[in-house]
Amino acid sequence: MLINISGVFRISVIIENNVVDIYNSDKWCIWMSNLKNYSTSTIIQYMKSVERFFIWGCHNPQNEESFPFYLAHYRQALLAGFVIYDHDEEGNEFILCKSQQLSKKTINKELEGIKSYYRFIDESRLFDTLVIDQRYESTRSSKGLLAGIQIKKSDDYLQAFGKREEFLRAFRTPKSTEESIKAFPFILYDKLLTHAKPRERLIFLLCGACSARIGQTLNLTLQDIDFDKKEVWLIDPLSDQKDQYGIPRRKWLSEVYGIDVKSHIEHSKKDFRFKYPIPLKREPLFWLAEDKYKDIFFKTLLEYTASPQYNIARIKKVPHPFIFMTISGARLTQASVLRSMKNIFLKIESDLLKRKKLMNLGPHSLRHMFGSAMAEIYALTGDESLIYVCKEAMGHASLDSTMIYFNMLPETKKKLIAEVSRKIMDQKQG
């Protein structure tokens, strides 16, 4: 089980009436939170993965197989599903651990959790210590996780995952299809903007016309806007990335506003997690239909910052630089933006809205709309440079993420085929 002590989790298991603690699991929890900036849900998921692997390992000897093969053995067990039994003091059998059949995609996540723990052990130089409780070592020293871990420093992680190439590769899973890309229809985008109040309109413009994630959008400050050049930047508040004036963001927040984004309760919510850079390189945001939507953005920004609501909110609380606020001066949350978006959906009369079940969509669907719109432009022009522009604009580290939009949209394929067919027919007739 996971024991929560003041927000720090520890893995503790009772096996054969012995309490077994995964060594330094509490420090691993802190490592994931502070060094890796993982969310609480990810930390819990990873720790449960290691707990499951540990219990399974205690009942399945490693024998002479190498650790990568041992992991592969465990992976097959997850694929098939398994049940681990134990006995109480009176000899009664009970289920200690049960895992249903998991999909390959879920199994890959399970192994990521195990990999994270081994990486922590490797970086902490803990391989030459015992990894679980001393009381249990004598009874299980030749089995499972113990046998795999009690080897020379770093070897286990490097054997299992390698420095550059993993020996135990993740399962290949099908690429996302168009059905999994819930993009807001571009045809309704202007209606969404028209019905939105200035604050929400700015957010929808950044998410839709610039492909920003909602968490990134909510970190916008006036410091990130160049009114003369009409440029907008989005900067991770936890990073040392410099703003347009050459000031590191984390330093600026600390020295000017006294804000430590990592520990300050109001600013450390997962609503404001930045995730990845956008765009991919340090440059201003890209705009879809730049002349139109950038112009709307800057006009709306002047309207919003001049409004009584904005200025009243600005003086109600301890100052902070983030421009998206509630009337009380608190930072606007993702849940609040989602509610506003749903309310606007009710005002938009459209058969498409009902047919596509768009009431299930949120702000992230606007980011998908950006990618889908870029694919449509590509279908009309055939300009392959648009694929790479889209990759940079959306902040994708891998081209595979971008190609989901260009490869999987039936409308794009149809338009490309129609365009090529027309050109072929024109050549024949000529």
mmCIF file of all heavy atoms in Angstrom, residues 171-207:
data_model
loop_
_atom_site.group_PDB
_atom_site.id
_atom_site.type_symbol
_atom_site.label_atom_id
_atom_site.label_comp_id
_atom_site.label_asym_id
_atom_site.label_seq_id
_atom_site.Cartn_x
_atom_site.Cartn_y
_atom_site.Cartn_z
ATOM 1 N N PHE A 171 6.175 -1.813 -25.944
ATOM 2 C CA PHE A 171 5.297 -2.405 -26.943
ATOM 3 C C PHE A 171 4.956 -1.365 -28.008
ATOM 4 O O PHE A 171 4.775 -0.182 -27.702
ATOM 5 C CB PHE A 171 3.986 -2.863 -26.300
ATOM 6 C CG PHE A 171 4.063 -4.190 -25.594
ATOM 7 C CD1 PHE A 171 3.727 -4.307 -24.256
ATOM 8 C CD2 PHE A 171 4.447 -5.338 -26.282
ATOM 9 C CE1 PHE A 171 3.780 -5.520 -23.606
ATOM 10 C CE2 PHE A 171 4.507 -6.557 -25.641
ATOM 11 C CZ PHE A 171 4.176 -6.653 -24.306
ATOM 12 N N ARG A 172 4.868 -1.808 -29.231
ATOM 13 C CA ARG A 172 4.391 -0.927 -30.298
ATOM 14 C C ARG A 172 2.876 -0.863 -30.189
ATOM 15 O O ARG A 172 2.197 -1.888 -30.179
ATOM 16 C CB ARG A 172 4.804 -1.446 -31.670
ATOM 17 C CG ARG A 172 6.302 -1.419 -31.896
ATOM 18 C CD ARG A 172 6.636 -1.985 -33.268
ATOM 19 N NE ARG A 172 6.144 -1.133 -34.335
ATOM 20 C CZ ARG A 172 6.849 -0.161 -34.893
ATOM 21 N NH1 ARG A 172 8.081 0.094 -34.470
ATOM 22 N NH2 ARG A 172 6.356 0.564 -35.876
ATOM 23 N N THR A 173 2.326 0.334 -30.107
ATOM 24 C CA THR A 173 0.882 0.501 -30.017
ATOM 25 C C THR A 173 0.398 1.292 -31.226
ATOM 26 O O THR A 173 1.151 2.091 -31.794
ATOM 27 C CB THR A 173 0.495 1.246 -28.733
ATOM 28 O OG1 THR A 173 1.212 2.488 -28.675
ATOM 29 C CG2 THR A 173 0.859 0.407 -27.504
ATOM 30 N N PRO A 174 -0.849 1.097 -31.614
ATOM 31 C CA PRO A 174 -1.368 1.797 -32.797
ATOM 32 C C PRO A 174 -1.311 3.307 -32.623
ATOM 33 O O PRO A 174 -1.480 3.826 -31.518
ATOM 34 C CB PRO A 174 -2.827 1.313 -32.882
ATOM 35 C CG PRO A 174 -2.854 0.043 -32.107
ATOM 36 C CD PRO A 174 -1.828 0.186 -31.030
ATOM 37 N N LYS A 175 -1.061 4.000 -33.729
ATOM 38 C CA LYS A 175 -1.050 5.451 -33.694
ATOM 39 C C LYS A 175 -2.470 5.962 -33.422
ATOM 40 O O LYS A 175 -3.457 5.292 -33.703
ATOM 41 C CB LYS A 175 -0.564 6.021 -35.046
ATOM 42 C CG LYS A 175 0.865 5.646 -35.383
ATOM 43 C CD LYS A 175 1.841 6.431 -34.556
ATOM 44 C CE LYS A 175 3.275 6.148 -34.997
ATOM 45 N NZ LYS A 175 4.244 6.865 -34.178
ATOM 46 N N SER A 176 -2.541 7.174 -32.888
ATOM 47 C CA SER A 176 -3.845 7.765 -32.663
ATOM 48 C C SER A 176 -4.562 7.969 -33.983
ATOM 49 O O SER A 176 -3.952 8.278 -35.008
ATOM 50 C CB SER A 176 -3.690 9.120 -31.959
ATOM 51 O OG SER A 176 -3.055 8.965 -30.721
ATOM 52 N N THR A 177 -5.847 7.792 -33.980
ATOM 53 C CA THR A 177 -6.633 7.997 -35.187
ATOM 54 C C THR A 177 -7.365 9.316 -35.095
ATOM 55 O O THR A 177 -7.355 9.993 -34.065
ATOM 56 C CB THR A 177 -7.669 6.873 -35.360
ATOM 57 O OG1 THR A 177 -8.580 6.942 -34.261
ATOM 58 C CG2 THR A 177 -6.988 5.520 -35.377
ATOM 59 N N GLU A 178 -8.053 9.666 -36.151
ATOM 60 C CA GLU A 178 -8.781 10.924 -36.193
ATOM 61 C C GLU A 178 -9.850 10.973 -35.109
ATOM 62 O O GLU A 178 -10.175 12.034 -34.580
ATOM 63 C CB GLU A 178 -9.393 11.090 -37.589
ATOM 64 C CG GLU A 178 -10.016 12.466 -37.835
ATOM 65 C CD GLU A 178 -11.507 12.471 -37.581
ATOM 66 O OE1 GLU A 178 -12.090 11.382 -37.521
ATOM 67 O OE2 GLU A 178 -12.076 13.560 -37.459
ATOM 68 N N GLU A 179 -10.405 9.801 -34.772
ATOM 69 C CA GLU A 179 -11.442 9.759 -33.753
ATOM 70 C C GLU A 179 -10.907 10.203 -32.394
ATOM 71 O O GLU A 179 -11.644 10.686 -31.556
ATOM 72 C CB GLU A 179 -12.013 8.347 -33.658
ATOM 73 C CG GLU A 179 -12.906 7.956 -34.829
ATOM 74 C CD GLU A 179 -14.101 8.891 -34.988
ATOM 75 O OE1 GLU A 179 -14.744 9.232 -33.981
ATOM 76 O OE2 GLU A 179 -14.392 9.291 -36.125
ATOM 77 N N SER A 180 -9.612 9.983 -32.160
ATOM 78 C CA SER A 180 -9.038 10.340 -30.865
ATOM 79 C C SER A 180 -8.596 11.800 -30.826
ATOM 80 O O SER A 180 -8.255 12.318 -29.789
ATOM 81 C CB SER A 180 -7.847 9.437 -30.544
ATOM 82 O OG SER A 180 -6.786 9.692 -31.431
ATOM 83 N N ILE A 181 -8.601 12.462 -31.968
ATOM 84 C CA ILE A 181 -8.237 13.875 -32.027
ATOM 85 C C ILE A 181 -9.522 14.683 -31.977
ATOM 86 O O ILE A 181 -10.201 14.850 -32.982
ATOM 87 C CB ILE A 181 -7.450 14.210 -33.311
ATOM 88 C CG1 ILE A 181 -6.196 13.353 -33.399
ATOM 89 C CG2 ILE A 181 -7.086 15.678 -33.348
ATOM 90 C CD1 ILE A 181 -5.438 13.541 -34.677
ATOM 91 N N LYS A 182 -9.875 15.151 -30.824
ATOM 92 C CA LYS A 182 -11.115 15.894 -30.648
ATOM 93 C C LYS A 182 -10.850 17.368 -30.902
ATOM 94 O O LYS A 182 -10.617 18.151 -29.983
ATOM 95 C CB LYS A 182 -11.670 15.662 -29.248
ATOM 96 C CG LYS A 182 -11.954 14.197 -28.921
ATOM 97 C CD LYS A 182 -13.033 13.625 -29.843
ATOM 98 C CE LYS A 182 -13.361 12.190 -29.460
ATOM 99 N NZ LYS A 182 -14.393 11.607 -30.342
ATOM 100 N N ALA A 183 -10.867 17.745 -32.157
ATOM 101 C CA ALA A 183 -10.572 19.123 -32.537
ATOM 102 C C ALA A 183 -11.853 19.940 -32.626
ATOM 103 O O ALA A 183 -12.862 19.487 -33.174
ATOM 104 C CB ALA A 183 -9.841 19.146 -33.881
ATOM 105 N N PHE A 184 -11.807 21.138 -32.081
ATOM 106 C CA PHE A 184 -12.936 22.052 -32.234
ATOM 107 C C PHE A 184 -13.039 22.440 -33.709
ATOM 108 O O PHE A 184 -12.028 22.756 -34.340
ATOM 109 C CB PHE A 184 -12.722 23.292 -31.372
ATOM 110 C CG PHE A 184 -13.890 24.234 -31.360
ATOM 111 C CD1 PHE A 184 -14.940 24.015 -30.485
ATOM 112 C CD2 PHE A 184 -13.944 25.319 -32.218
ATOM 113 C CE1 PHE A 184 -16.032 24.870 -30.471
ATOM 114 C CE2 PHE A 184 -15.028 26.184 -32.219
ATOM 115 C CZ PHE A 184 -16.080 25.958 -31.343
ATOM 116 N N PRO A 185 -14.248 22.429 -34.283
ATOM 117 C CA PRO A 185 -14.393 22.751 -35.718
ATOM 118 C C PRO A 185 -13.995 24.204 -36.004
ATOM 119 O O PRO A 185 -14.540 25.126 -35.392
ATOM 120 C CB PRO A 185 -15.883 22.526 -35.987
ATOM 121 C CG PRO A 185 -16.366 21.680 -34.861
ATOM 122 C CD PRO A 185 -15.536 22.046 -33.680
ATOM 123 N N PHE A 186 -13.085 24.372 -36.915
ATOM 124 C CA PHE A 186 -12.612 25.713 -37.254
ATOM 125 C C PHE A 186 -13.746 26.584 -37.780
ATOM 126 O O PHE A 186 -13.753 27.802 -37.590
ATOM 127 C CB PHE A 186 -11.494 25.607 -38.292
ATOM 128 C CG PHE A 186 -10.842 26.928 -38.613
ATOM 129 C CD1 PHE A 186 -10.230 27.674 -37.617
ATOM 130 C CD2 PHE A 186 -10.846 27.422 -39.905
ATOM 131 C CE1 PHE A 186 -9.622 28.890 -37.905
ATOM 132 C CE2 PHE A 186 -10.249 28.645 -40.206
ATOM 133 C CZ PHE A 186 -9.635 29.378 -39.200
ATOM 134 N N ILE A 187 -14.744 25.953 -38.381
ATOM 135 C CA ILE A 187 -15.866 26.693 -38.959
ATOM 136 C C ILE A 187 -16.674 27.420 -37.880
ATOM 137 O O ILE A 187 -17.378 28.392 -38.158
ATOM 138 C CB ILE A 187 -16.776 25.736 -39.780
ATOM 139 C CG1 ILE A 187 -17.722 26.534 -40.662
ATOM 140 C CG2 ILE A 187 -17.529 24.788 -38.870
ATOM 141 C CD1 ILE A 187 -18.519 25.681 -41.623
ATOM 142 N N LEU A 188 -16.576 26.941 -36.619
ATOM 143 C CA LEU A 188 -17.316 27.561 -35.520
ATOM 144 C C LEU A 188 -16.436 28.455 -34.648
ATOM 145 O O LEU A 188 -16.911 29.028 -33.665
ATOM 146 C CB LEU A 188 -17.951 26.476 -34.630
ATOM 147 C CG LEU A 188 -18.978 25.554 -35.281
ATOM 148 C CD1 LEU A 188 -19.474 24.524 -34.278
ATOM 149 C CD2 LEU A 188 -20.153 26.363 -35.831
ATOM 150 N N TYR A 189 -15.171 28.575 -34.997
ATOM 151 C CA TYR A 189 -14.215 29.296 -34.149
ATOM 152 C C TYR A 189 -14.580 30.769 -33.989
ATOM 153 O O TYR A 189 -14.555 31.316 -32.878
ATOM 154 C CB TYR A 189 -12.814 29.148 -34.735
ATOM 155 C CG TYR A 189 -11.709 29.711 -33.873
ATOM 156 C CD1 TYR A 189 -11.608 29.385 -32.520
ATOM 157 C CD2 TYR A 189 -10.736 30.562 -34.412
ATOM 158 C CE1 TYR A 189 -10.582 29.885 -31.732
ATOM 159 C CE2 TYR A 189 -9.702 31.058 -33.643
ATOM 160 C CZ TYR A 189 -9.637 30.722 -32.295
ATOM 161 O OH TYR A 189 -8.613 31.222 -31.518
ATOM 162 N N ASP A 190 -14.965 31.429 -35.081
ATOM 163 C CA ASP A 190 -15.322 32.846 -35.000
ATOM 164 C C ASP A 190 -16.544 33.061 -34.116
ATOM 165 O O ASP A 190 -16.637 34.061 -33.392
ATOM 166 C CB ASP A 190 -15.572 33.408 -36.395
ATOM 167 C CG ASP A 190 -14.280 33.627 -37.169
ATOM 168 O OD1 ASP A 190 -13.202 33.449 -36.569
ATOM 169 O OD2 ASP A 190 -14.335 33.950 -38.366
ATOM 170 N N LYS A 191 -17.498 32.120 -34.187
ATOM 171 C CA LYS A 191 -18.677 32.225 -33.318
ATOM 172 C C LYS A 191 -18.281 32.110 -31.849
ATOM 173 O O LYS A 191 -18.822 32.813 -30.986
ATOM 174 C CB LYS A 191 -19.690 31.134 -33.675
ATOM 175 C CG LYS A 191 -20.439 31.376 -34.973
ATOM 176 C CD LYS A 191 -21.547 30.359 -35.150
ATOM 177 C CE LYS A 191 -22.352 30.651 -36.411
ATOM 178 N NZ LYS A 191 -23.470 29.697 -36.599
ATOM 179 N N LEU A 192 -17.356 31.210 -31.564
ATOM 180 C CA LEU A 192 -16.870 31.043 -30.194
ATOM 181 C C LEU A 192 -16.254 32.345 -29.693
ATOM 182 O O LEU A 192 -16.520 32.785 -28.569
ATOM 183 C CB LEU A 192 -15.842 29.918 -30.145
ATOM 184 C CG LEU A 192 -15.198 29.642 -28.785
ATOM 185 C CD1 LEU A 192 -16.203 29.012 -27.832
ATOM 186 C CD2 LEU A 192 -13.980 28.728 -28.937
ATOM 187 N N LEU A 193 -15.448 32.982 -30.518
ATOM 188 C CA LEU A 193 -14.793 34.234 -30.135
ATOM 189 C C LEU A 193 -15.798 35.361 -29.955
ATOM 190 O O LEU A 193 -15.679 36.183 -29.035
ATOM 191 C CB LEU A 193 -13.753 34.635 -31.183
ATOM 192 C CG LEU A 193 -12.583 33.667 -31.395
ATOM 193 C CD1 LEU A 193 -11.682 34.169 -32.517
ATOM 194 C CD2 LEU A 193 -11.774 33.483 -30.113
ATOM 195 N N THR A 194 -16.807 35.384 -30.808
ATOM 196 C CA THR A 194 -17.816 36.450 -30.753
ATOM 197 C C THR A 194 -18.618 36.397 -29.465
ATOM 198 O O THR A 194 -18.915 37.427 -28.855
ATOM 199 C CB THR A 194 -18.768 36.342 -31.964
ATOM 200 O OG1 THR A 194 -18.013 36.461 -33.174
ATOM 201 C CG2 THR A 194 -19.826 37.430 -31.918
ATOM 202 N N HIS A 195 -18.970 35.191 -29.025
ATOM 203 C CA HIS A 195 -19.784 35.029 -27.825
ATOM 204 C C HIS A 195 -18.974 35.131 -26.533
ATOM 205 O O HIS A 195 -19.543 35.268 -25.452
ATOM 206 C CB HIS A 195 -20.501 33.678 -27.854
ATOM 207 C CG HIS A 195 -21.683 33.647 -28.779
ATOM 208 N ND1 HIS A 195 -21.573 33.340 -30.120
ATOM 209 C CD2 HIS A 195 -22.989 33.888 -28.556
ATOM 210 C CE1 HIS A 195 -22.767 33.387 -30.682
ATOM 211 N NE2 HIS A 195 -23.653 33.718 -29.766
ATOM 212 N N ALA A 196 -17.646 35.053 -26.637
ATOM 213 C CA ALA A 196 -16.804 35.056 -25.439
ATOM 214 C C ALA A 196 -16.599 36.478 -24.908
ATOM 215 O O ALA A 196 -16.515 37.435 -25.674
ATOM 216 C CB ALA A 196 -15.454 34.423 -25.748
ATOM 217 N N LYS A 197 -16.498 36.592 -23.579
ATOM 218 C CA LYS A 197 -16.130 37.854 -22.966
ATOM 219 C C LYS A 197 -14.633 38.086 -23.208
ATOM 220 O O LYS A 197 -13.908 37.139 -23.526
ATOM 221 C CB LYS A 197 -16.450 37.815 -21.472
ATOM 222 C CG LYS A 197 -17.941 37.737 -21.188
ATOM 223 C CD LYS A 197 -18.217 37.679 -19.691
ATOM 224 C CE LYS A 197 -19.717 37.601 -19.431
ATOM 225 N NZ LYS A 197 -20.035 37.530 -17.976
ATOM 226 N N PRO A 198 -14.166 39.332 -23.057
ATOM 227 C CA PRO A 198 -12.769 39.635 -23.404
ATOM 228 C C PRO A 198 -11.733 38.698 -22.784
ATOM 229 O O PRO A 198 -10.810 38.254 -23.462
ATOM 230 C CB PRO A 198 -12.595 41.072 -22.895
ATOM 231 C CG PRO A 198 -13.960 41.658 -23.019
ATOM 232 C CD PRO A 198 -14.903 40.545 -22.684
ATOM 233 N N ARG A 199 -11.881 38.386 -21.496
ATOM 234 C CA ARG A 199 -10.902 37.518 -20.839
ATOM 235 C C ARG A 199 -10.848 36.147 -21.504
ATOM 236 O O ARG A 199 -9.766 35.650 -21.854
ATOM 237 C CB ARG A 199 -11.261 37.359 -19.356
ATOM 238 C CG ARG A 199 -10.269 36.528 -18.552
ATOM 239 C CD ARG A 199 -10.757 36.348 -17.115
ATOM 240 N NE ARG A 199 -11.998 35.578 -17.057
ATOM 241 C CZ ARG A 199 -12.681 35.338 -15.940
ATOM 242 N NH1 ARG A 199 -12.258 35.845 -14.793
ATOM 243 N NH2 ARG A 199 -13.798 34.630 -15.961
ATOM 244 N N GLU A 200 -12.014 35.529 -21.703
ATOM 245 C CA GLU A 200 -12.057 34.206 -22.318
ATOM 246 C C GLU A 200 -11.659 34.258 -23.791
ATOM 247 O O GLU A 200 -11.049 33.338 -24.317
ATOM 248 C CB GLU A 200 -13.455 33.597 -22.171
ATOM 249 C CG GLU A 200 -13.732 32.978 -20.816
ATOM 250 C CD GLU A 200 -13.875 34.026 -19.717
ATOM 251 O OE1 GLU A 200 -14.246 35.176 -20.029
ATOM 252 O OE2 GLU A 200 -13.619 33.686 -18.540
ATOM 253 N N ARG A 201 -12.004 35.366 -24.463
ATOM 254 C CA ARG A 201 -11.640 35.497 -25.881
ATOM 255 C C ARG A 201 -10.129 35.478 -26.054
ATOM 256 O O ARG A 201 -9.593 34.844 -26.972
ATOM 257 C CB ARG A 201 -12.211 36.787 -26.465
ATOM 258 C CG ARG A 201 -12.063 36.880 -27.997
ATOM 259 C CD ARG A 201 -12.583 38.213 -28.509
ATOM 260 N NE ARG A 201 -13.927 38.457 -28.042
ATOM 261 C CZ ARG A 201 -14.361 39.621 -27.558
ATOM 262 N NH1 ARG A 201 -13.524 40.652 -27.467
ATOM 263 N NH2 ARG A 201 -15.593 39.767 -27.154
ATOM 264 N N LEU A 202 -9.420 36.144 -25.153
ATOM 265 C CA LEU A 202 -7.958 36.132 -25.202
ATOM 266 C C LEU A 202 -7.422 34.714 -25.038
ATOM 267 O O LEU A 202 -6.503 34.288 -25.741
ATOM 268 C CB LEU A 202 -7.387 37.022 -24.094
ATOM 269 C CG LEU A 202 -7.591 38.533 -24.246
ATOM 270 C CD1 LEU A 202 -7.160 39.247 -22.972
ATOM 271 C CD2 LEU A 202 -6.812 39.064 -25.445
ATOM 272 N N ILE A 203 -8.007 33.972 -24.101
ATOM 273 C CA ILE A 203 -7.573 32.595 -23.856
ATOM 274 C C ILE A 203 -7.845 31.721 -25.068
ATOM 275 O O ILE A 203 -6.985 30.940 -25.510
ATOM 276 C CB ILE A 203 -8.281 32.032 -22.602
ATOM 277 C CG1 ILE A 203 -7.808 32.777 -21.362
ATOM 278 C CG2 ILE A 203 -8.028 30.535 -22.459
ATOM 279 C CD1 ILE A 203 -8.584 32.455 -20.104
ATOM 280 N N PHE A 204 -9.032 31.861 -25.654
ATOM 281 C CA PHE A 204 -9.389 31.048 -26.822
ATOM 282 C C PHE A 204 -8.518 31.382 -28.023
ATOM 283 O O PHE A 204 -8.218 30.518 -28.855
ATOM 284 C CB PHE A 204 -10.872 31.240 -27.171
ATOM 285 C CG PHE A 204 -11.824 30.813 -26.089
ATOM 286 C CD1 PHE A 204 -13.097 31.356 -26.001
ATOM 287 C CD2 PHE A 204 -11.442 29.871 -25.136
ATOM 288 C CE1 PHE A 204 -13.976 30.970 -25.001
ATOM 289 C CE2 PHE A 204 -12.319 29.473 -24.128
ATOM 290 C CZ PHE A 204 -13.583 30.025 -24.059
ATOM 291 N N LEU A 205 -8.097 32.636 -28.119
ATOM 292 C CA LEU A 205 -7.200 33.027 -29.216
ATOM 293 C C LEU A 205 -5.824 32.399 -29.050
ATOM 294 O O LEU A 205 -5.238 31.896 -30.017
ATOM 295 C CB LEU A 205 -7.076 34.547 -29.278
ATOM 296 C CG LEU A 205 -8.255 35.284 -29.917
ATOM 297 C CD1 LEU A 205 -8.237 36.768 -29.564
ATOM 298 C CD2 LEU A 205 -8.246 35.106 -31.431
ATOM 299 N N LEU A 206 -5.308 32.395 -27.831
ATOM 300 C CA LEU A 206 -3.995 31.793 -27.594
ATOM 301 C C LEU A 206 -4.029 30.281 -27.796
ATOM 302 O O LEU A 206 -3.098 29.701 -28.343
ATOM 303 C CB LEU A 206 -3.507 32.130 -26.179
ATOM 304 C CG LEU A 206 -3.166 33.603 -25.923
ATOM 305 C CD1 LEU A 206 -2.850 33.832 -24.450
ATOM 306 C CD2 LEU A 206 -1.986 34.044 -26.787
ATOM 307 N N CYS A 207 -5.106 29.644 -27.351
ATOM 308 C CA CYS A 207 -5.217 28.181 -27.487
ATOM 309 C C CYS A 207 -5.513 27.758 -28.913
ATOM 310 O O CYS A 207 -5.007 26.732 -29.381
ATOM 311 C CB CYS A 207 -6.309 27.650 -26.560
ATOM 312 S SG CYS A 207 -5.940 27.777 -24.803
#
